[in-house]
Amino acid sequence: MNDKKRYKELLDNINQYNAGEIGITRIAYSNEEQTCTHAFMRMCKAENMEIRLDDCGNMIARREGKIADLPPVVMGSHLDTVYQAGKYDGAVGVTAGLEVIKRLNDKGIVTDHPIELIAFACEESARFGVSTVGSKAMVGKINKEMYRYLKDRNGITMEKAFSLCALDFNSIDQASRKEETFKAFFELHIEQGPILENEKKKIGIVTGIAAAVRFILKIIGTSSHSGTTPMNMRKDALLGAAEIALALEEAAIQEREYGTVATVGELDVYSGAMNVVPGEVQIKVDIRSTSIESRQRVVDHLYKTISQIINKRQVEVKDKVIGMEAPVNLSSELMDIVEQICVKKDIAYRHMQSGAGHDSMNMVELGPTALIFIPSKEGISHNPKEHSDLEDILDGIDILEEAVLQCAKVTTITDV
Ligand code: HGY
Ligand code: MN
Ligand code: MN
């Protein structure tokens, strides 16, 4: 079977694990994500890899090298998705890693260094508002007592979600590998933006990853009758939330030269009825930039707006920071390796930043890290219309295979 057909079957196999009617929904620590992870474990085992699940639900598969105690060359990404996602975000990186392993096995290649493939748990913030939980746990960056009680849209805490997956949240720290070093970490991922397609490039060599500061804001006014409450006597929490969202948009537009963005992606009205002036609204705020100073100016504007709204609308605003990460720069040594492979294979590439967060941003703690992008059709992502061409994915896999082999050092080719 040729690689193209084999890979397409693998990606389609992964995407059958889906709770959604529209697009793909494989939420962190859900039944669909767990069955998908276990199915993927079986696929790795079928390629003679040692497999294990760590205490945070990360799946780790290992292909031994000739010298077992050398640091591993690692590939990884995530299998969980946002709600009503596309087929490619995360799944490409995990399945690409397995395709590389299959190719090494087909060719009987033995490497000096062991090679690992990781499917990180809970990369998306869709369920609990915090992202890259699995890779954070792997580098010892979990805020345990805050994460424990974070709730999803059904009121299930992260701790409860763990127990429903037969995981014990109390031992999440056991997932840490921060005493180890990786020889190299590679993540192949869709760009999730329009640049590569617009510039007719096939590979993005990522130089740095923007980082988010995330808030949960509760705006508390007074619920009252929509028919009998005069406009000048209302304490409308939803209008307060709306003014915050618009102020964030305005501040981020001011900072656009830094690629800074701000989003209110969730808004819940309690208890919510068309004939009740909203008394309580919760919003989740995501502000990102590769410049800490620019991001801070947007945060400062947010708090200035909050104090204006408190006075103007006589509402209360409770704020909770649920994430504050630093932007990361990736390995120039690995970027050079990827660039040389693109030149050798005559594949059009460019260097670029990543506005999206990725597990790679935590893996920099364990060793040199590279993030390789392939084009997204019309830059669409986190959307059922997300699409990447199979040929582009296979180009990415060719690059990944060669970069991993360069770092893992091919020892011998055995007869297969
Ligand atoms: O939110 C993100 O940047 C990514 O989808 N985890
Ligand atoms: Mn995503
Ligand atoms: Mn992703």
Side-chain angles (χ1 to χ4, degrees), residues 77-78 89-90 123-124 189 192 357-358:
S77 198
H78 59 97
D89 175 2
E123 190 276 346
E124 296 290 2
H189 202 285
Q192 300 180 291
H358 296 283

Side-chain angles (χ1 to χ4, degrees), residues 219-222 224 229-247 264 267-269 276-283 305-306 308-310 312-317:
I219 298 94
I220 301 159
T222 305
S224 57
T229 314
M231 293 310 286
N232 66 339
M233 293 177 70
R234 296 179 173 209
K235 294 182 179 179
D236 187 325
L238 190 145
L239 294 180
E243 284 185 317
I244 288 171
L246 290 170
V264 174
L267 182 149
D268 293 299
V269 185
V276 178
V277 175
E280 184 175 326
V281 167
Q282 176 176 288
I283 59 175
T305 305
I306 288 173
Q308 287 164 349
I309 286 169
I310 289 170
K312 173 183 165 190
R313 296 186 176 276
Q314 295 297 299
V315 296
E316 186 190 352
V317 179

Side-chain angles (χ1 to χ4, degrees), residues 77 99 139 176 350:
S77 198
E99 173 58 27
V139 298
S176 175
R350 61 158 283 167

